[in-house]
Amino acid sequence: MLKSKTFVKKTRSGGIMKIVREHYLRDDIWCGSEVCTECNQEESVLQKDACIESNLCSFPHYLLPDTNVVLSQIDILEDPLIKNVIILQTVLQEVRHRSAPIYKRLKDILHDKEKRFYTFTNEHHRETYIEREQGESANDRNDRAIRVSTKWYSDHLKNTPTDEGLKVVLLTNDRGNKEKAEESGLLTYRCEEYVKSLIANPELVDRLALTNDDKNEITSSRMLFPEHLPLSRIQSGIKSGTFQQGTFRASRDNYLEAAVFVHREGDDSTEVLIQGLQNLNRAVHQDVVAVEILPLNQWVAPSSVVLQDEGPKEDDVTEEEEAELKRGLSGAESRKPTGRVVGIIKRNWRPFCGMLFLSQIKEATRHLFTPADRCIPRIRIETRQAATLAGQRIMVAIDGWPKHSRYPNGHFVRSLGSAGDKETETEVLLLEHDVPHQDFSQAVLSFLPKMPWNITEEDMAVREDLRNLTVCSVDPPGCTDIDDALHCRDLPNGNQEVGVHIADVSHFIRPGNTMDLEAANRGTTVYLTGRRIDMVPELLSSNLCSLRSNVERLAFSCIWEINDKAEIVKTRFTKSVINSKVGGEPPLTYAEAQMRIDDTNMNDDTTKSLRGLNRLAKILKKQRIEKGALTLSSPEVRFHIDSETHDPIDLQTKELKETNSMVEEFMLLANISVAQKIYDEFSECALLRKHPAPPPSNYDILNKAAKSKDLVIHTDSAKALADSLDAAQVDGFPYFNTLLRILATRCMMQAVYFCSGMDSDFHHYGLASPIYTHFTSPIRRYSDIIVHRLLAVAIGADSTYPDLMDKHKQSALCNNLNYRHKMAQYAQRASVAFHTQLFFKSRGILNEEGFILFVRKNAIIVLIPKFGLEGTVFFENKDKPSPKLIFNEEAPSLTVEGHSFNMFDKVKVTISLDASNVQHQKIRMSLVEPVICGVSVAPSEPEPEAKRAKLDR
């Protein structure tokens, strides 16, 4: 059966175009049920014995949820108890348009054969397709389509061979839709009503998301927050310039403060400061919001007070909180554009990990949930299993934030395990940082090469045979995903040939297949302490692609002819076959390579190659620094892990050797050479990497720190900054320069991937390079795979494909890669923080020297270089009288009862693990003299990548 619509449309040129839309209807679409004898279906999804123990439905039944039930109660639908569910095509399409995350979760359920979810294409079935009536809204038409399909299913399955007859239950929370369904004789329940009737899993009630009716029942009459403006007013306000649109980012250090980053086309983002609960107006971290800029006389400076939401409060905004915020305000010269949130454009809520803060009221069912992420407010949930969930890490989803409530309302999703357990805490940090860590699917693994795998004659015919070269890899101890190898040899003309050989991952991962799509989504390998989450399956990452010793491997080589002054005479790129010549299975470690270079008795080909590379690398580094490349610093530590318990048994700061710098210099050189080549060939679609110059205001804290020691830091260029840092020395304080470089690191912007056709600023500030990309780590970075494909096309070694030449798709890919890279950094730092806790758990109390990095109005932030540990020491305790505090913003310094604390002062601190509260185990840090109250040590924000060249190699 064919339905068609014909209409005319005016074209841009003024002509008239006739449009015919045809809609094909069929009567052979299966219902998916095992009991059906009418549909000639090859495979049934919905079971004959579809029984869920329910007080409402004692008979076999299938569930048919409407769109709003799927959108709001996806956590219920994911529960193993819920099976035999019909998802209409109408519902699937609506969910896809309204929420991409929920649509993905729904698709995952549909692909799970154990769940027995069946998609019925009602929009193409002759008896269930309906047309929109005159004056009927699209939403009302879809509701009617759902009712028509439910009626069809009920009639279709009426004469089933089950004892009591199989029925279809429509689940809807829409009052009007429910009434009309009941008038049509359909069996209809509200989702909450049905879930509460289930006997097998009464705890499932905790996972119910609050409906609008539920929210109205639990709100008080007092309004704490202003009303959010409707979207129509927001849109007109943005168009007229009254409002600004931006991303809301809550402060980690002050729960009464946030910033909204307003992005303007063709302009840098503008930061709007938001202070006070009413001005924050129920926005949550990463929401897209509309803000109104306040008059100039109401602009304020960022607060210098560290404030954390310490415990449950009544539904009120207290005067004490506002007073605390005002006490922390800085001087008028530091004021920034200040605003208030007037509406929410897009919520970016997700399930949050954390712990339950039990109510003090006996037998209470409403409790506060404390998220692991300090940027997220506490969430009020209702649960009857609070005693069981105490001491557990759990997931909670936000349902809404009424204007009468101090906290948002939410519901329990699932338990993750006991707090403090290694597996549980690792799962939490992976979920919190959105790191894809599920096992690779069979669809992905099906694209792996069949074993045993060997290099074929066809491979050799299109590659350069470099197996005769003395190639070696230098990597950290225990490394198995070896991306890169190097060689250096003398040429007859007196110059040297240097090669960087990179694993040819793009040979194994072809564009557009399932493995390629999975790698593009993951974006990067994530390195946690003691665990690695691969971007590609292990057969590739640790075997076939890894440039292991004494085995033939496929590579992509960048080869230079270089003279004695480290000047490049000639560059060429080639697909190759190599064989790393280092004896033994593991690659050379940095320490082993350094010993070879330093041992004058060793003169084998590998050692000679390493010495040649090291000599050239020193010249290259000197040249880079002369051009203005930055050498920054950060406190990094390395754990020694017990092989049996996998607990940290030792912790020390990382020691860098010349060989670290040697490898980095040639990786940088290869990245720059490849960047220029792919840009020359593909000026519109090259995937490049840039590091923007920081705005002058970013350097304020660095300038204040230098000024406190009577030094001046010039920041008008990278070269000026590098020279100033080199000259910044204080007699008798050798660690001062390192502290200054750590602080300079915090001033930097993040390096980002971008498509050359979508940007005009290519400069990499930290490396002082006019163009840059990532080519050298394709096993662990998807960006490098794309760069390999571009380079292969540029040299005629491979063919192109449409997405590779589409600058808009490349730009969208870059956005995902930037997000994944940032989240991986966060996850890695969180893993280090957790293992630091484990390390101190068995160490008791330690006294260590530290340095004051930052001074606040009520606290100091202290760095312990020995452990790379950073924490806040508060000078106020809610259980004790507060000491007299005098804060000098200009210095900056803080005087506590006559004792002065300045930036970079050396202090003696006591470090211990506070395990008194199982909900929030934390490392506590206090001053030995005077002894002042302690603090939690949380992972700091990931530092920009320009802190050392190796981070962008």
Side-chain angles (χ1 to χ4, degrees), residues 761-773:
D761 178 17
F762 294 5
H763 189 72
H764 197 295
Y765 180 82
L767 299 175
S769 177
I771 194 167
Y772 193 68
T773 194

Side-chain angles (χ1 to χ4, degrees), residues 292-299 335 338:
E292 179 183 35
I293 308 296
L294 298 175
L296 188 62
N297 61 357
Q298 294 182 37
W299 288 13
R335 291 189 307 175
T338 308

Side-chain angles (χ1 to χ4, degrees), residues 769-786:
S769 177
I771 194 167
Y772 193 68
T773 194
H774 272 163
F775 164 76
T776 55
S777 296
I779 294 177
R780 63 184 178 91
R781 290 189 304 231
Y782 188 76
S783 56
D784 302 51
I785 293 178
I786 295 295

Side-chain angles (χ1 to χ4, degrees), residues 342-443:
V342 296
I344 308 295
I345 296 170
K346 181 186 177 185
R347 289 289 194 188
N348 274 321
W349 294 343
R350 57 177 175 82
F352 301 104
C353 302
M355 299 193 69
L356 206 58
F357 192 102
L358 297 185
S359 171
Q360 300 302 307
I361 303 172
K362 192 176 180 181
E363 297 183 4
T365 58
R366 295 176 66 198
H367 307 271
L368 277 181
F369 164 83
T370 304
D373 187 348
R374 295 207 308 267
C375 293
I376 307 299
R378 293 173 183 243
I379 303 165
R380 184 177 280 117
I381 70 167
E382 191 162 344
T383 177
R384 292 158 184 78
Q385 49 179 332
T388 306
L389 297 178
Q392 299 274 312
R393 292 287 187 190
I394 65 173
M395 289 184 74
V396 163
I398 298 179
D399 300 326
W401 196 339
K403 57 183 178 292
H404 310 89
S405 174
R406 167 65 188 267
Y407 300 106
N409 296 320
H411 66 273
F412 167 74
V413 175
R414 65 186 174 102
S415 175
L416 299 170
S418 299
D421 176 76
K422 204 179 315 179
E423 292 299 319
T424 300
E425 297 298 341
T426 301
E427 179 74 5
V428 167
L429 70 88
L430 291 173
L431 290 169
E432 276 296 290
H433 299 104
D434 196 18
V435 175
H437 59 285
Q438 67 279 7
D439 292 338
F440 289 103
S441 68
Q442 284 303 314

